Amino acid sequence: MGRGYRDGDSRRYFDWLFYSNLDYMSAKNLLEDVRCYNNVAFHCQQCIEKSLKGYLLFKKHKLYDGHNLTWLCKQAMVCDEHFSQWLEKCTLLNRYYIETRYPADIQLDIDTKTVTEIMDYTTEILTFITEQIRFDFASYHKKKR
């Protein structure tokens, strides 16, 4: 069962894309330190989660709960079959939601090749979604409450 949405969760799809881009920027900044590769992967997962939720809010006027990128991508495919090209990559990015944030007996070891692939996938999907809803991060300003 998901957490549900709080009254404070934005119903403005551009806000979701704004925060998605902040996660993307964070991932890019963390790339400089090998010790932060797990954090890069997590921020990439978050970037795509928020992007997909923003897209779905744009198309269906409904906030979607959950963190499963595969499921969110399938929901987006209902609106636009072109999202099917991202299904496999969303499934791969899915694993970086929990495993990157908690210590485990068998640590998830992300090497330079893998983190580069993760960033490439994230860039491709984020660019696609941003173009679909014509979001311009550089000129966007959140509304103040």
Side-chain angles (χ1 to χ4, degrees), residues 128-142:
F128 177 79
I129 293 172
T130 298
E131 289 172 356
Q132 296 301 305
I133 60 179
R134 295 178 170 85
F135 177 72
D136 179 18
F137 178 70
S139 65
Y140 183 68
H141 301 288
K142 285 187 345 175

Side-chain angles (χ1 to χ4, degrees), residues 88-133:
E88 185 178 332
K89 291 178 181 178
C90 283
T91 300
L92 291 169
L93 290 172
N94 229 9
R95 76 179 291 211
Y96 301 116
Y97 176 63
I98 293 179
E99 289 85 351
T100 55
R101 297 183 297 142
Y102 299 100
D105 290 334
I106 301 173
Q107 279 300 125
L108 182 63
D109 188 28
I110 300 174
D111 59 18
T112 302
K113 180 182 177 222
T114 303
V115 82
T116 301
E117 186 176 81
I118 291 167
M119 283 299 300
D120 289 347
Y121 292 171
T122 302
T123 303
E124 292 169 11
I125 299 168
L126 177 61
T127 300
F128 177 79
I129 293 172
T130 298
E131 289 172 356
Q132 296 301 305
I133 60 179

